[in-house]
Amino acid sequence: MSRVLLGVSGGIAAYKACELVRLLTRRGHEVRVMMTAGAVEFVTPLTLQTLSGHPVRSELFAPGEESQISHIELADWADVVVLAPATANLIASLAQGLANDLVTTVCLATRAAVLVAPAMNVNMLQHPATQANLATLQERGVQRIGPDRGDLACGWTGEGRMVDPEVIVAATERLMRPAVLAEEAVLITAGPTEEPLDPVRVLSNRSSGKMGFALADEAAKRGAEVILIAGPVSLPTPIGVRRIDVRTAEEMRSAVFAEFEHATVVIKTAAVADYRAADTVDQKIKRESADTLEIKLVRNPDILREISAAKGERTVVGFAAETENVLANARDKLKRKGCDLIVVNDVSRADIGFDVDQNEVTIVGPTAEETTRVPLSSKVEIAAAILDRIIQVRKT
Ligand code: C5P
């Protein structure tokens, strides 16, 4: 059970704050609510007071309210501060470090983890000012969940919908996680590799790196030392993670082996190119008159297999993308590669897998009993499930 301080700001999604309070209290958390002046226009403090079982505050200077619990006491009381919905205005105020109402003042004063659940019109979200403000908050370690895509209350369709209260509850509880991985050094590879064909052309694949970055973020939140070896991707480095950027499979292999000694867990989410050009061409390949061009490829090293052979006490996890006989192929791969777990996804489905935020995976162990399915969830949830499983393996 934890103390959750919920800050509600003035958007239509404020009505969902009621459900959020109910879910949090039902799960045994103590919830106190603070509201911006705008939020009070959308839902009454009485509703949130009734649901949370505590008086709701909305003003910074209110003699009656301050006599109960001051804004600093409120900031100190919280284990987690959740801002849901977080409007563009609230996000901008936080990015500026303003303290011009109760919610912003408490956010400035608190040392608790802060989670924002943005909700706004798609154009407001995409505005460079909002994007810059969100990036500023992220740099400062503020956690963010959503927003989702969908129909917006303003009539537009697009990104900007606040994520569902259940998703906010899960994200809030993740922030409360104890540092269960404090003893582990987790080495993660992520993204594609890029194999040069000539100075301007490359052989690569569509891996976005999202899964590996989500795992790195989650492992760091659970107290692990995290080393993230990333192929060419455009994703921000999760807080508290040491990142090493590489391009080719060979570079990835060197980086992995440089860090391997020190690691206790290795997770290979990277989509390593299986082949690279046999000859590195120093000059750009010219368009010749011939209609066909042959490029000879040679096999890249299988990093996962090499690591597994040398793993000792380490736990090694591989990933697999399959289009048919998903489970049988994955179990086969587990044996062939010699790793402890294989996380497999069915890439024949368009809605999951590469470059999307959601995924559905099966965590395959050596036997059927050691195999678990994780239903369609965000990559953040999947990362949590994979780490839960790794923790189990580490304990046995
Ligand atoms: O053999 P396949 O590419 O299907 O296996 C996927 C798993 O093996 C992933 O975990 C990937 O990171 C790893 N791999 C590797 N080195 C390669 C190819 C794949 O480590 N050259």
Side-chain angles (χ1 to χ4, degrees), residues 189 268-274 300-304 318-320 333 336-337:
T189 66
K268 288 229 69 223
T269 67
V272 184
D274 291 318
N300 267 329
D302 188 333
I303 309 169
L304 180 58
F319 271 65
K333 188 167 287 183
R336 224 174 41 241
K337 301 243 183 189

mmCIF file of all heavy atoms in Angstrom, residues 189 268-274 300-304 318-320 333 336-337, ligand 1:
data_model
loop_
_atom_site.group_PDB
_atom_site.id
_atom_site.type_symbol
_atom_site.label_atom_id
_atom_site.label_comp_id
_atom_site.label_asym_id
_atom_site.label_seq_id
_atom_site.Cartn_x
_atom_site.Cartn_y
_atom_site.Cartn_z
ATOM 1 N N THR A 189 20.727 -5.540 -25.509
ATOM 2 C CA THR A 189 20.982 -5.011 -26.855
ATOM 3 C C THR A 189 19.634 -4.658 -27.472
ATOM 4 O O THR A 189 18.628 -5.319 -27.198
ATOM 5 C CB THR A 189 21.700 -6.025 -27.765
ATOM 6 O OG1 THR A 189 20.824 -7.127 -28.014
ATOM 7 C CG2 THR A 189 22.991 -6.518 -27.151
ATOM 8 N N LYS A 268 18.943 -10.075 -25.220
ATOM 9 C CA LYS A 268 19.288 -9.707 -26.591
ATOM 10 C C LYS A 268 18.037 -9.419 -27.402
ATOM 11 O O LYS A 268 17.525 -10.271 -28.107
ATOM 12 C CB LYS A 268 20.101 -10.836 -27.238
ATOM 13 C CG LYS A 268 21.517 -10.937 -26.673
ATOM 14 C CD LYS A 268 22.569 -11.011 -27.772
ATOM 15 C CE LYS A 268 22.710 -9.727 -28.526
ATOM 16 N NZ LYS A 268 22.828 -9.790 -29.938
ATOM 17 N N THR A 269 17.549 -8.187 -27.303
ATOM 18 C CA THR A 269 16.362 -7.854 -28.102
ATOM 19 C C THR A 269 16.758 -7.396 -29.510
ATOM 20 O O THR A 269 15.903 -7.288 -30.371
ATOM 21 C CB THR A 269 15.525 -6.717 -27.466
ATOM 22 O OG1 THR A 269 16.273 -5.517 -27.513
ATOM 23 C CG2 THR A 269 15.147 -7.025 -26.044
ATOM 24 N N ALA A 270 18.021 -7.094 -29.723
ATOM 25 C CA ALA A 270 18.431 -6.518 -31.008
ATOM 26 C C ALA A 270 18.087 -7.431 -32.173
ATOM 27 O O ALA A 270 18.198 -8.653 -32.072
ATOM 28 C CB ALA A 270 19.928 -6.239 -30.996
ATOM 29 N N ALA A 271 17.679 -6.812 -33.266
ATOM 30 C CA ALA A 271 17.458 -7.550 -34.512
ATOM 31 C C ALA A 271 18.754 -7.444 -35.308
ATOM 32 O O ALA A 271 18.933 -6.538 -36.125
ATOM 33 C CB ALA A 271 16.282 -6.959 -35.274
ATOM 34 N N VAL A 272 19.662 -8.345 -34.999
ATOM 35 C CA VAL A 272 20.995 -8.301 -35.608
ATOM 36 C C VAL A 272 20.896 -8.806 -37.047
ATOM 37 O O VAL A 272 20.273 -9.846 -37.290
ATOM 38 C CB VAL A 272 21.963 -9.215 -34.811
ATOM 39 C CG1 VAL A 272 23.374 -9.111 -35.368
ATOM 40 C CG2 VAL A 272 21.934 -8.878 -33.327
ATOM 41 N N ALA A 273 21.514 -8.094 -37.957
ATOM 42 C CA ALA A 273 21.501 -8.556 -39.350
ATOM 43 C C ALA A 273 22.243 -9.884 -39.432
ATOM 44 O O ALA A 273 23.338 -10.023 -38.881
ATOM 45 C CB ALA A 273 22.183 -7.529 -40.243
ATOM 46 N N ASP A 274 21.647 -10.850 -40.087
ATOM 47 C CA ASP A 274 22.284 -12.163 -40.170
ATOM 48 C C ASP A 274 23.459 -12.162 -41.141
ATOM 49 O O ASP A 274 24.377 -12.956 -41.011
ATOM 50 C CB ASP A 274 21.253 -13.217 -40.609
ATOM 51 C CG ASP A 274 20.222 -13.440 -39.509
ATOM 52 O OD1 ASP A 274 20.640 -13.499 -38.340
ATOM 53 O OD2 ASP A 274 19.022 -13.533 -39.817
ATOM 54 N N ASN A 300 26.994 -13.071 -40.430
ATOM 55 C CA ASN A 300 27.494 -12.354 -39.259
ATOM 56 C C ASN A 300 27.650 -13.331 -38.099
ATOM 57 O O ASN A 300 27.005 -14.383 -38.086
ATOM 58 C CB ASN A 300 26.490 -11.263 -38.859
ATOM 59 C CG ASN A 300 26.815 -9.928 -39.491
ATOM 60 O OD1 ASN A 300 27.976 -9.618 -39.724
ATOM 61 N ND2 ASN A 300 25.789 -9.147 -39.763
ATOM 62 N N PRO A 301 28.431 -12.968 -37.091
ATOM 63 C CA PRO A 301 28.525 -13.857 -35.925
ATOM 64 C C PRO A 301 27.182 -13.908 -35.203
ATOM 65 O O PRO A 301 26.455 -12.911 -35.174
ATOM 66 C CB PRO A 301 29.586 -13.173 -35.045
ATOM 67 C CG PRO A 301 29.599 -11.745 -35.492
ATOM 68 C CD PRO A 301 29.248 -11.765 -36.956
ATOM 69 N N ASP A 302 26.842 -15.064 -34.649
ATOM 70 C CA ASP A 302 25.627 -15.178 -33.842
ATOM 71 C C ASP A 302 26.012 -14.853 -32.393
ATOM 72 O O ASP A 302 26.533 -15.693 -31.668
ATOM 73 C CB ASP A 302 25.041 -16.585 -33.965
ATOM 74 C CG ASP A 302 23.670 -16.684 -33.306
ATOM 75 O OD1 ASP A 302 23.402 -15.904 -32.364
ATOM 76 O OD2 ASP A 302 22.866 -17.529 -33.728
ATOM 77 N N ILE A 303 25.751 -13.621 -32.018
ATOM 78 C CA ILE A 303 26.212 -13.128 -30.708
ATOM 79 C C ILE A 303 25.543 -13.911 -29.581
ATOM 80 O O ILE A 303 26.171 -14.301 -28.609
ATOM 81 C CB ILE A 303 25.922 -11.610 -30.566
ATOM 82 C CG1 ILE A 303 26.448 -10.855 -31.785
ATOM 83 C CG2 ILE A 303 26.550 -11.066 -29.293
ATOM 84 C CD1 ILE A 303 25.986 -9.411 -31.874
ATOM 85 N N LEU A 304 24.241 -14.134 -29.753
ATOM 86 C CA LEU A 304 23.476 -14.825 -28.704
ATOM 87 C C LEU A 304 24.057 -16.220 -28.439
ATOM 88 O O LEU A 304 24.220 -16.628 -27.299
ATOM 89 C CB LEU A 304 22.006 -14.910 -29.118
ATOM 90 C CG LEU A 304 21.069 -15.587 -28.136
ATOM 91 C CD1 LEU A 304 21.074 -14.905 -26.776
ATOM 92 C CD2 LEU A 304 19.640 -15.612 -28.692
ATOM 93 N N GLY A 318 17.012 -14.542 -25.146
ATOM 94 C CA GLY A 318 17.002 -14.174 -26.556
ATOM 95 C C GLY A 318 15.602 -13.807 -27.004
ATOM 96 O O GLY A 318 14.619 -14.061 -26.300
ATOM 97 N N PHE A 319 15.509 -13.206 -28.159
ATOM 98 C CA PHE A 319 14.208 -12.872 -28.740
ATOM 99 C C PHE A 319 14.076 -13.583 -30.075
ATOM 100 O O PHE A 319 15.072 -13.867 -30.732
ATOM 101 C CB PHE A 319 14.089 -11.351 -28.953
ATOM 102 C CG PHE A 319 13.547 -10.651 -27.751
ATOM 103 C CD1 PHE A 319 14.267 -10.626 -26.569
ATOM 104 C CD2 PHE A 319 12.297 -10.044 -27.798
ATOM 105 C CE1 PHE A 319 13.763 -10.002 -25.445
ATOM 106 C CE2 PHE A 319 11.782 -9.418 -26.675
ATOM 107 C CZ PHE A 319 12.514 -9.390 -25.492
ATOM 108 N N ALA A 320 12.866 -13.860 -30.455
ATOM 109 C CA ALA A 320 12.661 -14.480 -31.755
ATOM 110 C C ALA A 320 11.383 -13.937 -32.370
ATOM 111 O O ALA A 320 10.403 -13.692 -31.679
ATOM 112 C CB ALA A 320 12.560 -15.987 -31.593
ATOM 113 N N LYS A 333 14.843 -22.990 -31.093
ATOM 114 C CA LYS A 333 15.861 -21.939 -31.044
ATOM 115 C C LYS A 333 16.506 -21.867 -29.667
ATOM 116 O O LYS A 333 17.719 -21.676 -29.546
ATOM 117 C CB LYS A 333 15.213 -20.597 -31.398
ATOM 118 C CG LYS A 333 16.210 -19.488 -31.565
ATOM 119 C CD LYS A 333 15.607 -18.263 -32.221
ATOM 120 C CE LYS A 333 15.349 -18.494 -33.697
ATOM 121 N NZ LYS A 333 14.836 -17.296 -34.364
ATOM 122 N N ARG A 336 19.008 -24.611 -29.628
ATOM 123 C CA ARG A 336 20.109 -24.362 -30.557
ATOM 124 C C ARG A 336 21.047 -23.287 -30.040
ATOM 125 O O ARG A 336 22.252 -23.385 -30.117
ATOM 126 C CB ARG A 336 19.508 -23.941 -31.894
ATOM 127 C CG ARG A 336 20.165 -24.593 -33.058
ATOM 128 C CD ARG A 336 19.482 -24.302 -34.382
ATOM 129 N NE ARG A 336 19.034 -22.944 -34.566
ATOM 130 C CZ ARG A 336 17.760 -22.590 -34.749
ATOM 131 N NH1 ARG A 336 16.808 -23.488 -34.719
ATOM 132 N NH2 ARG A 336 17.445 -21.340 -34.940
ATOM 133 N N LYS A 337 20.443 -22.234 -29.493
ATOM 134 C CA LYS A 337 21.265 -21.095 -29.056
ATOM 135 C C LYS A 337 21.840 -21.325 -27.658
ATOM 136 O O LYS A 337 22.821 -20.710 -27.286
ATOM 137 C CB LYS A 337 20.420 -19.824 -29.058
ATOM 138 C CG LYS A 337 19.844 -19.498 -30.423
ATOM 139 C CD LYS A 337 20.360 -18.191 -30.939
ATOM 140 C CE LYS A 337 19.715 -17.841 -32.256
ATOM 141 N NZ LYS A 337 20.345 -16.690 -32.892
HETATM 142 O O1 C5P B 1 18.534 -16.581 -35.117
HETATM 143 P P1 C5P B 1 17.578 -15.467 -34.911
HETATM 144 O O2 C5P B 1 18.048 -14.193 -35.553
HETATM 145 O O3 C5P B 1 16.158 -15.772 -35.208
HETATM 146 O O4 C5P B 1 17.624 -15.230 -33.309
HETATM 147 C C1 C5P B 1 17.178 -14.081 -32.687
HETATM 148 C C2 C5P B 1 17.926 -13.868 -31.406
HETATM 149 O O5 C5P B 1 19.323 -14.026 -31.627
HETATM 150 C C3 C5P B 1 17.771 -12.462 -30.876
HETATM 151 O O6 C5P B 1 17.832 -12.512 -29.476
HETATM 152 C C4 C5P B 1 18.960 -11.744 -31.473
HETATM 153 O O7 C5P B 1 19.349 -10.633 -30.705
HETATM 154 C C5 C5P B 1 20.018 -12.826 -31.471
HETATM 155 N N1 C5P B 1 20.979 -12.736 -32.579
HETATM 156 C C6 C5P B 1 22.305 -12.517 -32.315
HETATM 157 N N2 C5P B 1 23.226 -12.457 -33.339
HETATM 158 C C7 C5P B 1 22.833 -12.643 -34.605
HETATM 159 C C8 C5P B 1 21.484 -12.883 -34.903
HETATM 160 C C9 C5P B 1 20.574 -12.906 -33.867
HETATM 161 O O8 C5P B 1 22.657 -12.340 -31.155
HETATM 162 N N3 C5P B 1 23.733 -12.575 -35.564
#
